[in-house]
Amino acid sequence: MIETTLVESWLYGRLSTDAALAAEVGNRIYAYVAPAQTATPYVVFSAQSPGFDVMGVGTARVMLNCLYQVKVVVQDASLSRAKKAADRIDELLHGATGTPAGGQVLGCVREGPLAYAEVSDGVEYRHLGGLYRIWVQET
């Protein structure tokens, strides 16, 4: 099994069902890339490394250890709205566990913050969030 599908199901479920985060970004939570012309603010999460299998005896895979970027994207140069959403994302993920269908997220911790700006088609976007180490296993 490709356990990243479990991670992404868990991340989406954890983020999309929170009322406080929804107050900031609505239902605009996406894996990997937001659709073209998506209004800001929105949340995007994506794998940042291929991860690695934690092996048991022989060929038994115990779990996957992977790293995900989770961020809010805004067009507000002050970052005030982004900070509120990014803080809520951190509250939801850092130290969390869960049971997506078919698996178990054994742990999730932030390894570091993330902040950068980019310009696309003449529009400046600000990104604020974190890199999260996630341990997941198939059940």
Side-chain angles (χ1 to χ4, degrees), residues 28-84:
R28 295 180 302 277
I29 299 172
Y30 306 99
Y32 294 94
V33 65
Q37 308 305 317
T38 298
T40 64
Y42 59 83
V43 172
V44 176
F45 58 86
S46 59
Q48 292 301 290
S49 72
F52 59 90
D53 291 332
V54 177
M55 303 299 287
V57 176
T59 60
R61 282 192 300 248
V62 176
M63 70 180 124
L64 174 68
N65 178 333
C66 55
L67 185 67
Y68 270 75
Q69 176 186 105
V70 185
K71 64 184 181 180
V72 61
V73 179
V74 297
Q75 287 178 270
D76 176 9
S78 74
L79 290 180
S80 60
R81 193 164 191 188
K83 182 178 181 337
K84 191 171 182 182

